[in-house]
Amino acid sequence: MGMFVDYIENECERLLQESPQFTELQREDHELLDEYPFLNMITDSNGVTKVLDLNYAETEALTKFCLVEEDINCWKRLQMYLLGIAHAMWIIELFTFPVTLIPPERMITCALTNSQDCQIIKIISWKL
C-alpha cells in the first residue's frame, strides 16, 4: 500500500503547490520559523526540553504559527478528500452499467492480493 499512498501524497502536494493561497501559507510558516527560533524547538521531534519564557511578541508568534499550521493541515486534508472524490467518481463512471439493478449472478467477483507492497484488485470472474 506504500506506493499508492506515496502517489496520492505526491499528487496532493503537486496540486497544493498550484494554489496561491496554500503557497502563501507556506511562505508565512517559513517566515515565522526563521524569525522565531524557539518555534523550531517546539516542532522538533525531541520537543521542548527546557522551560520557555516567552514575551508578548513571541506568544503572538506562537499563536500565529499554530493557526498557520492548522490552515496548512486543513488545506492538505481538503485536497486529499477532493482527490479521493475525483478517484471515486472515475471508478463509478468506469463501472457504470446501462442496467440500474444488477442481479447477484451478474456481479463482479473480486479478490484482494498483495503484490510488492501494493494491494491490487483482480477481477476473477465476470458473468453476463
Side-chain angles (χ1 to χ4, degrees):
M1 204 141 133
M3 291 180 356
F4 180 70
V5 171
D6 290 344
Y7 165 76
I8 294 295
E9 287 177 349
N10 290 337
E11 186 65 11
C12 283
E13 189 64 33
R14 184 188 67 76
L15 292 168
L16 285 169
Q17 293 304 322
E18 295 175 3
S19 165
Q21 296 93 341
F22 183 78
T23 54
E24 176 61 24
L25 284 170
Q26 282 189 313
R27 184 195 58 75
E28 195 173 346
D29 187 65
H30 292 293
E31 284 179 0
L32 286 166
L33 286 168
D34 291 341
E35 188 174 346
Y36 298 97
F38 76 91
L39 292 174
N40 286 312
M41 183 177 62
I42 292 172
T43 59
D44 187 17
S45 61
N46 295 331
V48 178
T49 56
K50 63 179 182 173
V51 175
L52 294 176
D53 186 20
L54 304 178
N55 61 34
Y56 182 76
E58 291 170 331
T59 305
E60 287 288 313
L62 177 59
T63 303
K64 180 72 173 167
F65 179 74
C66 290
L67 293 172
V68 169
E69 283 286 314
E70 177 56 29
D71 286 348
I72 287 172
N73 289 327
C74 183
W75 273 84
K76 288 179 178 180
R77 287 189 304 270
L78 179 61
Q79 184 59 57
M80 185 74 72
Y81 173 77
L82 293 174
L83 191 59
I85 288 175
H87 284 143
M89 293 304 295
W90 178 77
I91 290 171
I92 288 169
E93 289 175 10
L94 185 67
F95 287 109
T96 300
F97 299 102
V99 180
T100 52
L101 295 175
I102 302 171
E105 65 272 3
R106 291 187 60 204
M107 291 197 175
I108 298 173
T109 306
C110 295
L112 288 175
T113 59
N114 285 322
S115 172
Q116 295 180 3
D117 193 35
C118 183
Q119 286 191 346
I120 300 172
I121 297 176
K122 289 186 177 179
I123 298 176
I124 294 173
S125 65
W126 178 271
K127 297 180 182 178
L128 297 174

